[in-house]
Amino acid sequence: MHSDQVLVFDADDTLWENNVLFERVIDGFLAEVADEAGRPAARAVLDAVEAANAVTLGYGAEVFRRSLRECLEQLAGRTATAADLHRIDELLAPLTARTVELIPGVDETLAELAGRHRLLMLTKGDPAEQRRKVDASAIAHHFEDVRIVAEKDVATYRGLVEELALAPDRTWMIGNSPKSDIVPARRAGLRTVFIPHVHTWVLEHEEFGAHTATLEIRTFPELLGHF
């Protein structure tokens, strides 16, 4: 029997691995554009380019491809060549593979939780890219609804609550990102579960301030001890 609690799950780096794939690409990219001593500075340039592009272009592999190109051009002081772009595409290949790697225990935990509560998935990014990952994950059947949005901010959470007639104090946002999953959900009046991930994207880091998570756990299966 379902309770009246609603569990809303982030996807990338909460349900399946994501940013570690980008980090592997970045490691390969930096190894080609800078010597070991110069890599921290090159990474800082890339982080700045990514932050700017995220604001205007959003997220996903294609935006990341553009960020790598722009970073290379800034570091090299020239326009990227066809050979440069081909090499970037080679580095990006793992990001477009039609497979995903679930976080340990996700499928089994969701199967049990789905018998107790209403489950929703809320993920941000390029719609086609995120839908591909949702389909490849083979876990969408656990969720009452899967939503792909451009950004997860306070307005997103308030809109979700209003549209689905949710009770904020019985609705939990579960994810790894302070910036997208915890702080805005708390500001919207929801409860939250923070599951830290060692590879959380640097642009998703944010101080909790007054909006600390309601609950923090170490691993996904620990949800069964609370819900």
Side-chain angles (χ1 to χ4, degrees), residues 75-148:
L75 294 172
R78 60 172 175 79
T79 301
T81 66
D84 292 329
L85 298 179
H86 178 69
R87 180 55 184 147
I88 287 174
D89 287 340
E90 288 182 330
L91 291 170
L92 286 171
L95 293 181
T96 57
R98 297 192 175 275
T99 59
V100 298
E101 179 185 344
L102 293 179
I103 301 290
V106 160
D107 196 12
E108 302 87 343
T109 302
L110 290 176
E112 192 162 342
L113 290 173
R116 306 177 188 174
H117 310 285
R118 296 174 62 191
L119 307 188
L120 308 174
M121 187 192 303
L122 181 66
T123 180
K124 72 177 184 180
D126 176 77
E129 187 173 333
Q130 293 305 99
R131 174 52 61 181
R132 173 186 61 77
K133 289 189 282 187
V134 170
D135 292 344
S137 73
I139 59 173
H141 62 284
H142 294 307
F143 299 92
E144 178 182 306
D145 193 13
V146 174
R147 302 208 167 197
I148 300 170

Side-chain angles (χ1 to χ4, degrees), residues 7-18:
L7 309 185
V8 186
F9 291 85
D10 169 52
D12 291 339
D13 293 321
T14 297
L15 300 177
W16 53 70
E17 298 287 1
N18 182 65

